[in-house]
Amino acid sequence: MVHWTAEEKQLITSVWGKVNVEECGAEALARLLIVYPWTQRFFSSFGNLSSPTAIIGNPKVRAHGRKVLTSFGEAVKNLDNIKTTFSKLSELHCEKLHVDPENFRLLGDILIIVLASHFARDFTPACQFAWQKLVGVVAHALARKYH
Amino acid sequence: MVLSASDKTNVKGVFSKIGGHADEYGAETLERMFATYPQTKTYFPHFDLSHGSAQIKAHGKKVAAALVEAANHIDDIAGALSKLSDLHAQKLRVDPVNFKLLGHCFLVVMAIHHPSVLTPEVHASLDKFLCAVGNVLTAKYR
């Protein structure tokens, strides 16, 4: 089980409380698809991903980004139980979606950058540490049921 | 991975906006890297790594200068950083994985101080540039 200090929990939940899940989710997914274009391989059904503008404006990208970040919120609500929380999702990503777990790490780092751009100086080094730990734990939980 | 013409324009644009803050951002990048990835501190046992340390400031300045140099010679990063590449291969031997960590922290610093500059397209270009710099610095490792 992951050990969180009281400070880390506080840094995570206080940031999360101010996050606009729809906006941040959409932005994070769009940036993933733009910065690491090979990640578009999972989204051939999403329509026009031909340019950064197309990706940012794509309603399926926005909707899916929101879905992904909402799911991420479950980790924040269950910090002491992340493995179990994502157990089924892990199976899904392996067996149905066939997503290389490296992509979870890429998305996690992108999310950090999106948070940094929104929170600026409030995203202190201590804050970054707690959030990098969280995205790492989530990535690990999502990869855990792979076989 | 190749830097396109627009990547190069984007990167030069970033560094011109950074202007005189490069040293400060270099130091902040290092501070965040040490805080976020404690294993990176193993390369600096001889440093005072506390917040505001003069050594971090000085080293941040060096790191920033190298990035600025690479951006100013973006058509030949390998040439511009050749001596630094030798240094990292022969003496410093920093594990290649750490250049990604430093690059990521630099992007975080850019996002904090210049969020409007770091559009998705510029983010992509800068990420590619930082990868290219890391590749050059580790090119002679073996």
Side-chain angles (χ1 to χ4, degrees), chain B residues 10-82:
Chain B
N10 287 341
V11 170
K12 283 179 179 290
V14 167
F15 281 88
S16 75
K17 298 241 170 50
I18 286 175
H21 292 281
D23 292 354
E24 179 199 322
Y25 295 166
E28 189 179 343
T29 297
L30 286 177
E31 190 187 348
R32 281 182 183 271
M33 187 185 72
F34 293 139
T36 308
Y37 308 108
Q39 67 272 24
T40 56
K41 295 190 291 186
T42 59
Y43 292 96
F44 299 91
H46 53 299
F47 265 31
D48 164 18
L49 295 177
S50 57
H51 176 68
S53 121
Q55 285 177 306
I56 294 190
K57 283 200 171 86
H59 200 66
K61 197 171 167 182
K62 277 192 203 172
V63 170
L67 290 177
V68 167
E69 185 72 359
N72 287 340
H73 297 90
I74 205 163
D75 290 321
D76 183 19
I77 297 176
L81 299 187
S82 178

Side-chain angles (χ1 to χ4, degrees), chain A residues 32-50:
Chain A
L32 180 75
L33 299 174
I34 292 165
V35 177
Y36 308 114
W38 55 92
T39 58
Q40 293 170 24
R41 69 190 297 284
F42 301 107
F43 302 104
S44 50
S45 66
F46 273 28
N48 188 4
L49 299 177
S50 60

Side-chain angles (χ1 to χ4, degrees), chain A residues 3-4 6-7 19 23 27 30 36 39 49 52 62 64-65 69 94 104 108 110 117 125 127 129 142:
Chain A
H3 172 71
W4 302 99
E7 196 204 355
V19 166
E23 283 307 316
E27 189 180 345
Y36 308 114
T39 58
L49 299 177
R62 292 193 68 86
H64 195 68
L69 201 62
C94 171
F104 309 139
I110 293 271
S117 70
C127 213
F129 178 84
L142 284 172

Side-chain angles (χ1 to χ4, degrees), chain A residues 23-40 49-58 61-62 110-111 113-114 117-118, chain B residues 3-4 6-7 10-11 14 107 110-111 114-130:
Chain A
E23 283 307 316
C24 267
E27 189 180 345
L29 186 62
R31 279 183 189 257
L32 180 75
L33 299 174
I34 292 165
V35 177
Y36 308 114
W38 55 92
T39 58
Q40 293 170 24
L49 299 177
S50 60
S51 70
T53 313
I55 291 170
I56 292 164
N58 185 312
V61 171
R62 292 193 68 86
I110 293 271
L111 179 60
I113 288 168
V114 169
S117 70
H118 285 260
Chain B
L3 293 176
S4 68
S6 62
D7 287 329
N10 287 341
V11 170
V14 167
L107 287 171
M110 287 301 102
H114 300 278
S116 56
V117 173
L118 203 72
T119 62
E121 295 94 322
V122 170
H123 176 171
S125 299
L126 198 52
D127 192 80
K128 281 171 79 174
F129 168 73
L130 293 165

